[in-house]
Structure formats: structure tokens, C-alpha cells
Amino acid sequence: MSTSQGISLLPCTPTDFPTLAALESVVFYHDEFSIVAFGPERASAENLAIRTQGFHKTLEPESQKSTEYFKAVNESGEIVGWSSWSFVHGGKNGEGDGVWSGKGEKLVKKDIEEDSGGWGVSANVRFCEEVFLVADEWMVESTKGEPYAKLNVLIVSPSLQRRGIGTLMLSEGLKEVDRRGLQCVLGASPEGAGLYEKIGFKEVGSMELKLWEYEGGEGMGMTRHGVMHRPAVVVK
């Protein structure tokens, strides 16, 4: 699919993964949430390699879940944005340490870490566990044990933000979610919550994060991380 701005939306291939990791690092490098979560080595070659490896892991066959990646490409063939969606077909019943949803389904810590591509060599483990594990638990609880889609990541190159590319990627992703008849969940920053509300998402949980209380967040302020849910839409 192409936009009026000469942007094409295409499925990603594994050869794109290093570029996806590098673009993600650029987009979030100065974000205080990311600084605290992933630490001073978040843009290092080692960390980008871990992130890339994590993308590859999500493509390994699973009975309960599949993950798909999409890219926004300009007329020169450069990737200027991308998104990742997971489609979860049923509850998890794995063994080992994890957290539980209200339906008694187990959300295994290892699975959450792999969904994010690994937390990285300088990650603040306490912060990641208190934010990402809790948020994923809320997401699972909101789905009430039924199949669902999850928007993992949606980013646009800083030079092209606020031009409708992110909205287009979100819209196209939700068309596929709706085609499959699935409900959808996501984690929302304060900047993105308003857009998600306009297209049918409602907040099911939120946390106020005092960044200065975490290692690496000294001198920073407070931010908010929300979890949102959108019911399945019947496509006629």
C-alpha cells in the first residue's frame, strides 16, 4: 500500500531486523522512560544485536502466538517507520515463574522478555519488571481468556513524525486485527493515549512512574504508562 507522501507499507523480512532495532534506538534514545528502562548501553552494538535476536525469536513457531512486522518505506527504499503485532490464540499454561491473569492463565516472564526482544545489557531490571510485567498482566486480564491481538511497537522516524504515517500504520494494522475478529491491547504513553481513545481503545489500567526513584532516573520527573483495550469489531 502507498500513501500520497510516497510511503509504502510492506511486511518486514528478517533481513530488516537490524534496521528496525537501529531506528527504534534513534526514536527513543532521548526519551526519559527509555533511558531509565534500558540504561546507558541502550544504543550499543551489543544491545542492538540482542534486540535483533529477539525479533528473530518471535518468528519461531508457537502454538499459542504469532508475531508479524510491518515497515513504512519511502521512495528511496529507506525504512522510516515500523510496527509489530502479536496475535495470541489462547491462554498460556507454561511452567516456571510468572504472573497470573484473573482467568488463571499463566503469563510466563520469559515470554514477556522475548516479546520485547530482551531487556538488554544495561537494562534496569527492577523498572522493567515493575512496568512491563505488570502491564502485560493487565493486558491479559482485560482479554478475559479470549484470543487477542497486541500492538507491541509502532514508531516513525523523528524527521517524519506528525505527518500521518503512524496513524496510517495503526489503521492498517487494525484492519488486519478486525479481519481476524480479535480484540486488541497495547501499552500507551501520555502522547499516544489520545489517539488510541479516538479509535475505540479504553484504558484498563495505568501507573504513575516516579522516574527519580529508579537507578538512572536521578533528577527526572514523573511519567505515566497506561494499558488500553479495544473490543473486537465485527466486520460486515
Side-chain angles (χ1 to χ4, degrees), residues 185-203:
V185 294
L186 54 80
S189 66
E191 295 77 19
L195 169 63
Y196 298 135
E197 287 178 354
K198 290 180 181 179
I199 55 177
F201 285 89
K202 292 187 177 180
E203 190 171 84

Side-chain angles (χ1 to χ4, degrees), residues 35-90:
I35 291 170
V36 175
F38 305 114
E41 299 300 318
R42 60 194 179 280
S44 68
E46 183 178 4
N47 239 24
L48 294 181
I50 290 172
R51 184 62 164 150
T52 299
Q53 182 182 32
F55 294 154
H56 283 282
K57 286 183 178 179
T58 64
L59 298 184
E60 295 175 359
E62 291 187 44
S63 61
Q64 300 292 339
K65 180 183 68 177
S66 61
T67 301
E68 299 178 14
Y69 295 82
F70 302 91
K71 59 187 176 182
V73 180
N74 65 15
E75 293 176 324
S76 300
E78 178 187 6
I79 297 176
V80 297
W82 64 274
S83 64
S84 165
W85 299 78
S86 290
F87 301 93
V88 181
H89 315 300

Side-chain angles (χ1 to χ4, degrees), residues 87-88 142-144 146-150 173-185 199-202 228-236:
F87 301 93
V88 181
S142 74
T143 66
K144 303 186 185 302
E146 298 298 325
Y148 65 94
K150 176 187 174 184
L174 287 175
K175 285 181 182 178
E176 178 61 19
V177 172
D178 294 343
R179 187 189 70 78
R180 301 187 189 200
L182 297 174
Q183 57 188 320
C184 189
V185 294
I199 55 177
F201 285 89
K202 292 187 177 180
M228 306 188 79
H229 174 270
R230 176 179 179 265
V233 175
V234 177
V235 179
K236 298 181 180 179

Side-chain angles (χ1 to χ4, degrees), residues 135-154:
D136 272 275
E137 182 182 17
W138 289 347
M139 290 182 197
V140 173
E141 288 178 343
S142 74
T143 66
K144 303 186 185 302
E146 298 298 325
Y148 65 94
K150 176 187 174 184
L151 174 59
N152 301 309
V153 181
L154 192 154

